[in-house]
Amino acid sequence: MLIQFSVSNFKTFKNKATLDLIASNYDKETREKENVIQIPEFGLRILKSAVVYGANASGKSRFMDALAFMKTFVIRSSTDRLKGDPINVDQFRLATDIENASTEFEILFIHNNEMYRYGFEISKQAVLAEWLYHRPKTKEIEIFYREGQRFEFHVKRFSKGHTLAKEDLVRENALLLSVAAQFNDQLSGEIINWFKKLTVISGLQEHRYQRITLDKTDDINQKKRILELLAVADLGIHDITLERIDLENLPADMPKRLKELMLKEASESNTAFISDILTKHRRYDADKNYIGDVNFSLEDDESSGTFKLFSLAGSVLDALEHGYPLFIDELDSKLHPNLVCKLAELFNSSTTNPKNAQLIFNTHDTDLLSSGLFRRDQIWFTEKDRYGAASLFSLSDFKSEVRRTENFQSNYIQGKYGAIPFLGEFISPFVSQIISDDKK
């Protein structure tokens, strides 16, 4: 369960930006039972979902990129690069005063009923600092703190890390946490596993996450859940069939190299190659009597919204089943506003979300602001200043200036919360003159 995530000096974020999912006391009378997870052992109330608004190029997607970068670096920093390899972090490039500054990431989360705070600072050459704090009950304990290649440890709780540092097995461009997990340290492995479960996907690149849904269709119960989700969207689909490529009967004219690659991947990863995804629809005669079924190709015959929802289904159901945090960039792209509301409702409901999964997404769909689904502390905005630096803030930051009974949608469109584009004239006098001349 995610509590907070912070980043600074990354892409469009010059200064520190923090997404805080701790529920505000200011909103305690609004959808408390539905939208808030109670964690009495830590005295916390955590939000189940959050939505981020902002103008184009204001930082919404870049904030998602920051979390995705942190996840990838934590999991792979010990294996993806050799000694001396650069770190491919994309820092803020529009200000000279931070040209030599580090990029910082920090995350606070609960895993297996225990709280962790982990973070690091990096340059393009090295890990400059790294820290891990553990809070099993009430007191936060420092597990380790790293400054460059100097380390301080709680030796009893992190003996493996102490040994690795003592034997100089932690490279300058790798995280200690990643290296320790590679050497089978239990604590590091637990944290790495949490990061692996954290999912960040782009709502504009359906093919990249569709595999999760495809894998679930082989399980009868999981396939049933996918079909139930599609039924909610009223798409008329009542079954799905995957057409698999028969690797034993590949076309004779297929390039030999391609055949070898497919056979190798199939044997190493037990992957089935899908030639098409067929959706089954009911067929009726002139008297509206059901007479059979007809198959459509998901990619060729169905709408782009149907294709996206099917592709998303696996990640959504995975998060709900296991209680994972799910971040979706551009969730509303190609989907009807009512359907986006339904997806948010799945995460806010204790019935459909008993494991307390979390959904965080960005959108331009202002209808959600008037849906009544979100509290003020669940509504976030990104805004870029005149110098190109983005900031992240919540509607609850306005406190008494914004009543919970106000029309959030109307106020946002009118610019009362900021985070909207200030549009100039689309047709300049010069262009107007050209148009005028053409008409003569």
Side-chain angles (χ1 to χ4, degrees):
M1 183 185 305
L2 180 66
I3 302 174
Q4 289 178 343
F5 170 65
S6 300
V7 63
S8 62
N9 192 19
F10 181 84
K11 292 191 174 180
T12 194
F13 288 96
K14 176 185 178 182
N15 301 313
K16 187 175 182 179
T18 300
L19 177 70
D20 189 346
L21 297 179
I22 297 176
S24 167
N25 289 327
Y26 186 59
D27 283 285
K28 206 165 185 178
E29 297 178 11
T30 308
R31 298 186 66 88
E32 184 76 9
K33 184 178 180 181
E34 301 94 337
N35 294 23
V36 176
I37 306 164
Q38 304 290 337
I39 310 177
E41 55 267 39
F42 293 113
L44 290 175
R45 298 158 45 250
I46 306 299
L47 299 169
K48 294 180 182 179
S49 60
V51 56
V52 184
Y53 286 90
N56 291 327
S58 64
K60 300 187 303 298
S61 296
R62 301 291 79 83
F63 192 77
M64 298 275 189
D65 291 347
L67 186 59
F69 178 92
M70 184 182 194
K71 172 182 175 174
T72 301
F73 195 64
V74 167
I75 295 171
R76 299 179 183 173
S77 72
S78 64
T79 57
D80 276 8
R81 53 187 50 81
L82 302 173
K83 183 178 177 64
D85 284 350
I87 299 173
N88 59 337
V89 60
D90 190 356
Q91 298 172 320
F92 187 79
R93 289 179 277 175
L94 300 180
T96 58
D97 58 320
I98 61 166
E99 281 182 326
N100 299 314
S102 62
T103 298
E104 180 177 330
F105 302 86
E106 185 176 73
I107 199 162
L108 181 65
F109 62 95
I110 294 174
H111 179 52
N112 291 336
N113 299 316
E114 297 184 355
M115 190 184 299
Y116 298 89
R117 179 163 62 91
Y118 174 69
F120 53 85
E121 291 182 44
I122 55 175
S123 67
K124 290 183 177 293
Q125 292 76 39
V127 176
L128 305 177
E130 184 183 1
W131 56 91
L132 174 63
Y133 292 84
H134 181 208
R135 184 180 169 188
K137 294 182 181 178
T138 57
K139 184 180 179 182
E140 186 178 71
I141 302 166
E142 182 183 281
I143 303 300
F144 75 85
Y145 188 86
R146 167 188 187 179
E147 190 171 349
Q149 292 303 94
R150 294 181 295 174
F151 300 85
E152 296 178 1
F153 294 96
H154 190 302
V155 179
K156 184 177 179 180
R157 292 176 180 267
F158 198 41
S159 59
K160 178 77 72 174
H162 179 259
T163 301
L164 291 170
K166 188 176 180 180
E167 295 181 4
D168 197 25
L169 294 175
V170 184
R171 298 191 308 274
E172 290 183 349
N173 58 358
L175 296 170
L176 170 59
L177 188 79
S178 306
V179 177
Q182 192 178 7
F183 280 85
N184 299 318
D185 175 68
Q186 184 177 353
L187 177 60
S188 301
E190 286 288 328
I191 295 173
I192 294 290
N193 284 337
W194 184 84
F195 272 100
K196 287 180 177 178
K197 294 171 183 176
L198 172 71
T199 304
V200 185
I201 60 179
S202 168
L204 299 176
Q205 300 172 347
E206 293 88 351
H207 287 92
R208 296 185 63 178
Y209 51 83
Q210 188 188 79
R211 187 79 228 180
I212 300 172
T213 307
L214 296 178
D215 290 342
K216 286 182 177 295
T217 58
D218 288 328
D219 182 288
I220 295 175
N221 293 325
Q222 295 287 359
K223 181 179 178 180
K224 181 181 177 182
R225 297 178 70 207
I226 292 170
L227 291 171
E228 288 173 350
L229 183 59
L230 297 179
V232 170
D234 193 25
L235 302 174
I237 297 172
H238 66 95
D239 201 4
I240 299 166
T241 304
L242 304 185
E243 283 196 342
R244 291 175 167 82
I245 296 175
D246 184 358
L247 296 178
E248 299 296 326
N249 295 290
L250 294 172
D253 59 348
M254 179 180 283
K256 181 181 178 181
R257 179 59 178 160
L258 180 57
K259 285 184 180 181
E260 291 173 349
L261 288 172
M262 290 178 67
L263 292 170
K264 181 181 179 182
E265 185 174 345
S267 63
E268 290 180 352
S269 60
N270 195 29
T271 300
F273 289 89
I274 308 300
S275 60
D276 204 353
I277 304 164
L278 303 180
T279 58
K280 188 170 290 187
H281 294 256
R282 298 184 185 279
R283 194 163 181 249
Y284 302 88
D285 63 16
D287 297 320
K288 312 302 182 186
N289 297 310
Y290 167 63
I291 59 172
D293 298 317
V294 61
N295 287 328
F296 288 5
S297 165
L298 178 66
E299 189 157 7
D300 296 337
D301 301 324
E302 299 285 6
S303 70
S304 58
T306 299
F307 186 88
K308 175 173 179 174
L309 181 61
F310 173 81
S311 302
L312 271 176
S315 297
V316 169
L317 295 175
D318 219 27
L320 291 170
E321 182 179 357
H322 300 286
Y324 301 160
L326 174 61
F327 283 72
I328 305 179
D329 185 23
E330 302 284 359
L331 173 60
D332 61 317
S333 170
K334 305 176 187 176
L335 297 182
H336 192 279
N338 290 352
L339 183 51
V340 177
C341 285
K342 286 292 183 183
L343 291 173
E345 285 177 355
L346 287 176
F347 284 81
N348 285 343
S349 167
S350 57
T351 302
T352 53
N353 185 16
K355 299 288 185 67
N356 293 324
Q358 293 164 292
L359 174 66
I360 297 91
F361 64 98
N362 62 43
T363 181
H364 292 290
D365 178 14
T366 59
D367 288 341
L368 288 169
L369 291 172
S370 60
S371 67
L373 285 174
F374 298 101
R375 300 151 45 108
R376 286 166 293 189
D377 51 7
Q378 292 177 284
I379 299 170
W380 290 75
F381 304 102
T382 55
E383 188 172 57
K384 190 180 288 186
D385 66 21
R386 61 184 296 187
Y387 305 104
S391 59
L392 176 71
F393 54 95
S394 168
L395 187 56
S396 65
D397 292 340
F398 290 86
K399 299 193 185 311
S400 59
E401 298 172 37
V402 180
R403 298 183 180 88
R404 61 175 177 270
T405 56
E406 289 184 14
N407 188 324
F408 300 152
Q409 180 182 23
S410 176
N411 287 352
Y412 173 61
I413 292 172
Q414 292 176 37
K416 291 186 177 180
Y417 311 139
I420 62 170
F422 293 97
L423 304 177
E425 292 291 337
F426 278 96
I427 301 179
S428 68
F430 175 70
V431 175
S432 298
Q433 183 62 48
I434 293 176
I435 295 173
S436 177
D437 291 343
D438 287 343
K439 291 180 178 179
K440 292 180 180 178

